[in-house]
């Protein structure tokens, strides 16, 4: 028997990634003296912090990057881990919650677009296994595509988990407000979380989305060298533009 929609609001669990492994998705994009290091990977937040510096030193050595990259890589990882750990012990909503996951990524010459529904209440879900199956079914041979798909899924699930924490917090504050206690206005992030609950916490909305996506098929394209060059030039231009805007 399925949990009623109202159960979504009554069954908070402590914050963690809604997957079998509690891994943090990290993104790094660092440029120093004309050298650029860009990567995306997952990290176990339970690993000792000393591993961060070891990783940074090994990366700089393997890629022959300038020594200042060690500090920048380590600081970027540590700051993202600190943000993840800041949610430790906080409630996040559980119960029946189906959310959309969208893929729109390019890995080398492979372009992948897809959208599907993901059950946040399934803490045994495995993005890496899903990605391996996806690549096998679609005949994708590039070994870098699977990890990129899994990372994209984890990144979206992480964002939704954070929104669930904010939503749980706002719910508690709202209840206190109705009892006459101090009430804190809903933050910008809280408003996003509430909108997410309204959109995907209702069975009819989920059914409508499911009907639409049952006929949706994933798109996998192999790009030519010329197409890749054009896309990479565009990405580099956007990167340079973002740097200029931040100066």
């Amino acid at each position: 028997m399925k949990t009623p929609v109202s159960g979504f609001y009554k069954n908070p669990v402590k914050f963690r990634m809604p997957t079998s492994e509690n891994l943090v998705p990290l993104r790094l994009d660092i440029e120093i003296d004309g050298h650029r290091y860009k990567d995306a990977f997952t990290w176990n937040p339970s690993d000792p912090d000393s591993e961060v510096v070891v990783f940074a030193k090994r990366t700089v050595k393997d890629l022959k990057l300038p020594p200042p990259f060690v500090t920048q890589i380590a600081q970027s990882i540590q700051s993202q881990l600190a943000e993840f750990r800041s949610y430790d012990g906080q409630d996040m909503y559980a119960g029946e919650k189906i959310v959309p996951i969208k893929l729109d990524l390019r890995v080398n010459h492979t372009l992948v677009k897809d959208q599907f529904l993901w059950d946040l209440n399934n803490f045994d879900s495995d993005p890496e296994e899903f990605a391996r199956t996806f690549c096998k079914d679609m005949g994708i041979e590039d070994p870098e595509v699977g990890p990129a798909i899994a990372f994209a899924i984890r990144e979206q699930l992480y964002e939704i988990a954070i929104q669930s924490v904010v939503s749980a917090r706002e719910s508690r504050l709202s209840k206190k407000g109705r009892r006459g206690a101090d009430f804190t206005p809903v933050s910008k992030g809280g408003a996003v979380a509430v909108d997410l609950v309204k959109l995907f916490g209702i069975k009819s909305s989920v059914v409508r989305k499911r009907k639409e996506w049952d006929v949706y098929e994933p798109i996998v394209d192999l790009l030519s060298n010329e197409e890749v060059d054009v896309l990479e030039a565009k990405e580099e231009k956007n990167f340079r533009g973002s740097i200029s805007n931040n100066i």
Side-chain angles (χ1 to χ4, degrees), residues 72-84:
Q72 293 298 317
I73 290 174
Q75 287 181 347
S76 180
I77 293 175
Q78 288 167 344
S79 65
Q80 292 179 69
L81 289 176
E83 180 181 2
F84 181 88

Side-chain angles (χ1 to χ4, degrees), residues 92-113:
M92 58 182 280
Y93 285 134
E96 185 171 349
K97 187 176 184 185
I98 309 296
V99 297
I101 298 294
K102 296 183 179 181
L103 300 178
D104 188 356
L105 52 90
R106 179 184 65 84
V107 182
N108 301 323
H109 285 70
T110 304
L111 186 69
V112 178
K113 293 186 178 183

Side-chain angles (χ1 to χ4, degrees), residues 124-155:
D124 293 323
S125 64
D126 187 341
E128 286 72 24
E129 179 61 29
F130 173 90
R132 285 191 292 269
T133 302
F134 180 93
C135 289
K136 181 179 179 181
D137 291 345
M138 300 302 297
I140 298 175
E141 297 180 355
D142 187 337
E144 296 183 21
V145 175
I149 290 175
F151 182 88
I153 294 172
R154 284 190 175 277
E155 199 168 43

Side-chain angles (χ1 to χ4, degrees), residues 93-242:
Y93 285 134
E96 185 171 349
K97 187 176 184 185
I98 309 296
V99 297
I101 298 294
K102 296 183 179 181
L103 300 178
D104 188 356
L105 52 90
R106 179 184 65 84
V107 182
N108 301 323
H109 285 70
T110 304
L111 186 69
V112 178
K113 293 186 178 183
D114 196 10
Q115 55 185 0
F116 43 86
L117 300 174
W118 195 277
D119 183 2
L120 284 188
N121 198 36
N122 181 10
F123 284 84
D124 293 323
S125 64
D126 187 341
E128 286 72 24
E129 179 61 29
F130 173 90
R132 285 191 292 269
T133 302
F134 180 93
C135 289
K136 181 179 179 181
D137 291 345
M138 300 302 297
I140 298 175
E141 297 180 355
D142 187 337
E144 296 183 21
V145 175
I149 290 175
F151 182 88
I153 294 172
R154 284 190 175 277
E155 199 168 43
Q156 293 175 66
L157 292 177
Y158 178 30
E159 186 63 31
I160 294 170
I162 292 175
Q163 292 174 0
S164 294
V165 169
V166 175
S167 185
R169 184 186 304 143
E170 297 297 344
S171 177
R172 290 196 303 272
L173 290 173
S174 178
K175 290 178 181 178
K176 289 181 179 179
R178 288 196 296 270
R179 289 197 294 267
D182 292 338
F183 179 74
T184 303
V186 176
S187 65
K188 182 178 180 181
V192 173
V194 171
D195 289 344
L196 185 70
V197 172
K198 289 180 179 178
L199 185 58
F200 302 113
I202 304 173
K203 284 186 177 180
S204 59
S205 178
V206 172
V207 171
R208 179 178 61 80
K209 294 292 181 180
R210 189 185 302 276
K211 286 181 178 179
E212 289 177 358
W213 289 348
D214 276 346
V215 297
Y216 188 92
E217 295 183 1
I219 298 173
V220 176
D221 284 335
L222 287 178
L223 305 177
S224 65
N225 291 332
E226 292 76 14
E227 289 172 322
V228 171
D229 289 342
V230 170
L231 287 174
E232 289 183 343
K234 183 178 180 180
E235 291 170 359
E236 183 66 18
K237 181 179 180 180
N238 291 338
F239 173 72
R240 298 298 171 191
S242 64

Side-chain angles (χ1 to χ4, degrees), residues 1-5 95-96 121 203:
M1 181 177 178
K2 290 187 177 181
T3 305
V5 174
E96 185 171 349
N121 198 36
K203 284 186 177 180

Side-chain angles (χ1 to χ4, degrees), residues 30-37 66-73:
I30 303 168
E31 184 175 34
I32 301 176
D33 297 332
H35 297 269
R36 186 181 180 189
Y37 169 65
F69 269 91
V70 173
T71 300
Q72 293 298 317
I73 290 174

